[in-house]
Amino acid sequence: MKIQSFLLIALCSLAALTASAQTRNDLSIPHLEKHGMATQLIVDGKPFLARAAELNNSSASSLEYMKPLWPKLVAAHLNTVLATVSWELIEPEQGKFDFRLVDGLLKEARANDLHLVILWFASWKNGKSNYQPLWVKTNQEKFPLACSEDGKSMPIMTTLSDANRDADAHAFAALMRHLREVDGKKHTVLMIQVENEVGLLGDTRDYSPVANQAFAGPVPKELMDYLVAHKDTLIPELRDVWATNGFKTSGTWTEVFGPGKPAAMAIPVRTLSPPLTEQEHETGWRNLHWPVDEIFMAWNYARYVGQVAAAGKAEYNLPMFVNAWLQQRDHAWPGTYPSGGPVPQVHDLWRAGAPAIDILAPDLYVPEFEELCGRFTRSGNPLFIPESRAGAQGVANAIWAFGTHDAIGFSPFGIDRFAGSDLELIHAYDVISQIAPLILANQGKGTMTAMLLDNGGASQTVKLGNYNLEARFSARSFGGISNTPPERVAGLFISTGQDDYVIIGRGMNVYFTAATNPSDSVGLAMVEEGVYAGGKWIPGRRLNGDETPEWKALRFRSDTYSIQHVKLYRYH
C-alpha cells in the first residue's frame, strides 16, 4: 500500500507539473505583458481593454436569473463580466465537484460574445467567511476560526491553519483544472480574482492560540530576506515603520515593527471624530495604525492566498489578482476595514508573501479616486479596478484611469441593478470601445494622458507632445444650448503626431499653447468630430467658427462624450 500511495502521489505531482509547464509556456492563453511602461492584458495575441462590470454577489448562482440579463449586458457595450463562483456550490460534498454553473456561465458568455473574470469566493468575502461549504463551516475543530482579543471565535477562517488553506487550494485547483479543460482554447475567462476583500474585521489581528504563538515568535526569515533585499524601494509607509524600529533584520514581530494595539482597547465600528481628532479623521486613513498587527495579518493573508493562487496556476496559469476593501476617513483603524488586506501601505508584504498574485486591485468607491490610483500603481503594480461606481462620475473616473494610468480595465459593481438604465455607462463604453485600439497602442509610450474636471473646479493643464493642453469645465453645448452638466467630466488626450491629437471629451473647452518656443501662437489647422469604426477614423462635421470658441479652442458638448481629431499649426 505504501508503494502504491507513493506512486499515486508521484503521478499526481507529475500531472500537475506538466499542466503548469504547459500553461506557463502557452502565450496563447490570456496573460500579462509589458508594453513600454505599461502592463497590458493580452488575449488571443492582442492587447485587451476590459470594459467591464461586476454582477451582484449572488447573481451568477442561478442561470435562470441570468437569462434576461445577458442581452442588457451586451447593450451596455460591455466586453467583460465579473461573476462569482463560490466554493460552497462547486464542492458541496468534500471531494465531489459540480461545475454545471461554471459551464452554464461559459456557454452564455460565449453566446453573447462576452468574456468573464471569475471571482473565487471561498475562505473569505468582505472579511467574513460565508462562502465555504457546510462541511467546512460545521467542522471548526478541523477548520478553525480566528479569535478576537477576548478569546471569542469570529465568523472568519483563520489564516494560521494548513487545513483551511489546503482545502481551499484543493477546490481552487479543481476549478482551474476544469477551466483549462473546457476553456483553455476558447479563452472566455480572462483573469481570476482569488477570494474577495480579505482581512480581519472586528479586531486588529487574529488572537487565536495558533496566531498568538506565531505573533510571539520570530518574523519569518523569508519576509526579512525580502525586506532587506528591497530596502531602498519599499513602499514608504512600510519602510518608515521598519526604520523607526531600527531596521532590525531579525526578532519577534514587535521587536522588528513595534507595539500593536493597546491591550483591551475596543475597536469602534466607525472611526468618526471623536474618537479621532478632526485632523486625524482627514489624514489618518493614509497611515498605518498599530502597524505590527496589520503587518502580521498582511503577511499571513498573503501567504495563504498566495498558496491558493499557486495551486490554481499549477493547473491553468491565468492572471490572478486580489482586491482591497480600502482604508478611508471613517474606517481608518485596522479592524474597521479588513486588517491585512492589500491596502497600499502593505503592498510589499503581499509581493513577498504571494508572488503568484499578479495585480493588487482597489475596490474604489472613495472620493480620493486620483490619489488612490496613484498609490496602487506604485512599484509597477498594474491598475485594474474590479469594483467602483457607475453613472457620470464613474465613467469620468474610468476614462481618466485609462488615459493616466494605462488601466487594464474598469468595472462598476452591481450591473444587474442598472444594466439598460445607466445611459452614462452605455454611451461612455460605446465611445471607449471605438477608441480602444488607439488607447492600447499608446499605453506605456508617454503619448497619452487624461484630465478630470469638476463642476466649479479649477481648469487643468498638462504637457503632451509639443503642446500644453488646458481643459476648462464648460456647461455649454454646440449652438449655445445649455444642458445640466454632470458634476465630473473627463478628457482623454492622445498625441498621434507632432501637431495631431485625438481627444475624448465632454463638457469642456480645450486650449493649446506651445510647450517649446512659447512666443509662438497656436492655431487650429483642422478640427473634425467623428467616430472610429473597425479601428479607422470616420470624420463627421468639420468644426469651425462658433463650434471652436475664439477660433482657438475645442468645445466638447456637455450631454455626452464625443471624439474630436485636431491638427495644430503655429504662427508668429
Side-chain angles (χ1 to χ4, degrees):
M1 290 296 294
K2 290 183 179 179
I3 293 175
Q4 289 174 337
S5 298
F6 175 79
L7 289 173
L8 179 61
I9 293 170
L11 287 171
C12 290
S13 299
L14 179 60
L17 286 171
T18 301
S20 176
Q22 288 172 344
T23 56
R24 273 200 308 269
N25 296 325
D26 184 2
L27 293 181
S28 68
I29 68 173
H31 63 279
L32 300 178
E33 193 173 287
K34 291 291 289 184
H35 183 258
M37 297 299 292
T39 298
Q40 294 182 322
L41 174 63
I42 306 299
V43 180
D44 295 324
K46 298 178 181 179
F48 185 88
L49 198 69
R51 305 185 312 278
E54 182 173 334
L55 298 167
N56 285 320
N57 298 148
S58 303
S59 303
S61 67
S62 169
L63 298 178
E64 282 298 313
Y65 175 89
M66 289 294 299
K67 274 185 180 179
L69 188 56
W70 292 106
K72 295 180 181 179
L73 302 178
V74 173
H77 297 286
L78 303 183
N79 60 10
T80 306
V81 178
L82 277 65
T84 298
V85 170
S86 67
W87 184 8
E88 64 177 341
L89 292 180
I90 71 162
E91 194 182 9
E93 295 182 55
Q94 188 169 11
K96 296 181 179 180
F97 294 97
D98 183 350
F99 294 113
R100 285 176 294 177
L101 273 174
V102 175
D103 293 342
L105 287 172
L106 289 170
K107 179 182 177 182
E108 290 301 322
R110 290 169 186 160
N112 289 279
D113 197 25
L114 290 167
H115 290 281
L116 294 173
V117 170
I118 295 295
L119 314 179
W120 174 238
F121 280 23
S123 293
W124 303 286
K125 188 267 178 186
N126 291 47
K128 302 291 185 179
S129 297
N130 299 317
Y131 284 82
Q132 73 273 41
L134 191 60
W135 53 267
V136 174
K137 291 178 180 175
T138 56
N139 191 351
Q140 295 166 26
E141 185 174 340
K142 182 175 182 181
F143 303 108
L145 301 176
C147 293
S148 56
E149 187 182 5
D150 59 9
K152 293 182 179 178
S153 292
M154 309 171 80
I156 303 168
M157 295 176 70
T158 181
T159 60
L160 279 296
S161 166
D162 291 350
N164 289 353
R165 180 200 64 217
D166 292 347
D168 188 332
H170 181 260
F172 186 58
L175 170 64
M176 296 306 294
R177 181 166 57 252
H178 182 75
L179 289 177
R180 173 169 53 86
E181 291 168 353
V182 300
D183 195 49
K185 300 299 182 184
K186 296 186 177 180
H187 309 150
T188 308
V189 180
L190 304 181
M191 296 196 294
I192 307 291
Q193 178 184 291
V194 188
E195 315 296 345
N196 184 79
E197 292 185 354
V198 303
L200 194 80
L201 280 174
D203 218 326
T204 55
R205 71 168 178 87
D206 184 356
Y207 285 87
S208 63
V210 66
N212 285 338
Q213 183 179 2
F215 188 74
V219 177
K221 185 177 183 299
E222 180 184 359
L223 174 55
M224 292 309 320
D225 287 348
Y226 180 94
L227 295 178
V228 170
H230 298 83
K231 182 177 179 180
D232 295 333
T233 58
L234 292 174
I235 296 295
E237 298 93 332
L238 177 63
R239 192 178 191 278
D240 289 346
V241 170
W242 189 25
T244 298
N245 291 279
F247 285 124
K248 294 183 180 71
T249 57
S250 64
T252 66
W253 289 90
T254 54
E255 287 171 344
V256 175
F257 300 113
K261 182 194 70 173
M265 180 178 180
I267 299 296
V269 175
R270 301 182 75 187
T271 50
L272 298 168
S273 52
L276 295 183
T277 66
E278 185 175 347
Q279 181 179 5
E280 287 171 335
H281 184 259
E282 292 300 312
T283 64
W285 62 274
R286 297 181 177 92
N287 305 320
L288 287 169
H289 301 266
W290 315 299
V292 65
D293 292 354
E294 185 154 14
I295 289 169
F296 175 74
M297 293 311 302
W299 171 254
N300 284 293
Y301 273 105
R303 291 294 294 154
Y304 186 118
V305 175
Q307 290 180 54
V308 171
K313 282 196 167 187
E315 298 293 344
Y316 188 30
N317 190 22
L318 288 179
M320 297 189 183
F321 66 94
V322 291
N323 61 324
W325 172 338
L326 295 178
Q327 186 182 15
Q328 48 203 286
R329 279 181 167 82
D330 56 350
H331 294 83
W333 293 341
T336 62
Y337 64 93
S339 178
V343 295
Q345 300 95 316
V346 296
H347 278 186
D348 283 306
L349 279 300
W350 277 84
R351 291 190 183 93
I357 295 297
D358 300 291
I359 302 174
L360 306 172
D363 286 352
L364 195 38
Y365 299 96
V366 297
E368 299 83 11
F369 185 87
E370 302 102 303
E371 179 177 347
L372 265 300
C373 286
R375 297 179 80 195
F376 265 83
T377 51
R378 294 185 294 188
S379 303
N381 183 53
L383 184 62
F384 178 71
I385 301 174
E387 287 189 32
S388 195
R389 302 186 189 280
Q393 180 168 327
V395 298
N397 288 341
I399 290 169
W400 182 84
F402 288 134
T404 301
H405 288 290
D406 299 321
I408 288 171
F410 181 89
S411 171
F413 175 75
I415 183 64
D416 30 343
R417 294 196 308 269
F418 54 82
S421 62
D422 189 342
L423 300 181
E424 294 284 356
L425 183 71
I426 292 171
H427 293 159
Y429 269 10
D430 180 24
V431 173
I432 292 169
S433 71
Q434 295 177 40
I435 204 169
L438 196 59
I439 291 174
L440 290 164
N442 284 274
Q443 284 185 339
K445 294 172 61 177
T447 52
M448 179 172 63
T449 190
M451 289 185 271
L452 283 172
L453 295 177
D454 292 319
N455 192 353
S459 65
Q460 303 289 322
T461 301
V462 297
K463 179 183 179 298
L464 184 65
N466 296 321
Y467 295 89
N468 298 313
L469 284 60
E470 180 190 4
R472 304 174 189 172
F473 190 95
S474 172
R476 297 186 64 193
S477 189
F478 289 107
I481 300 172
S482 295
N483 298 286
T484 302
E487 290 303 304
R488 167 167 284 193
V489 297
L492 187 149
F493 308 87
I494 302 174
S495 173
T496 54
Q498 281 195 341
D499 302 298
D500 288 16
Y501 293 88
V502 172
I503 302 172
I504 295 177
R506 175 185 185 178
M508 63 176 63
N509 294 344
V510 180
Y511 297 80
F512 301 87
T513 57
T516 57
N517 300 322
S519 61
D520 287 352
S521 296
V522 178
L524 304 178
M526 180 274 291
V527 180
E528 294 175 335
E529 65 178 5
V531 297
Y532 277 90
K536 295 183 178 180
W537 174 247
I538 309 297
R541 291 189 301 169
R542 176 69 65 91
L543 302 180
N544 210 323
D546 294 338
E547 283 71 44
T548 53
E550 306 168 66
W551 298 278
K552 65 179 181 180
L554 309 185
R555 171 178 286 162
F556 286 88
R557 54 195 290 184
S558 61
D559 57 335
T560 192
Y561 285 95
S562 59
I563 309 172
Q564 293 186 24
H565 177 203
V566 57
K567 290 180 179 290
L568 306 175
Y569 72 99
R570 301 190 188 201
Y571 60 94
H572 300 288

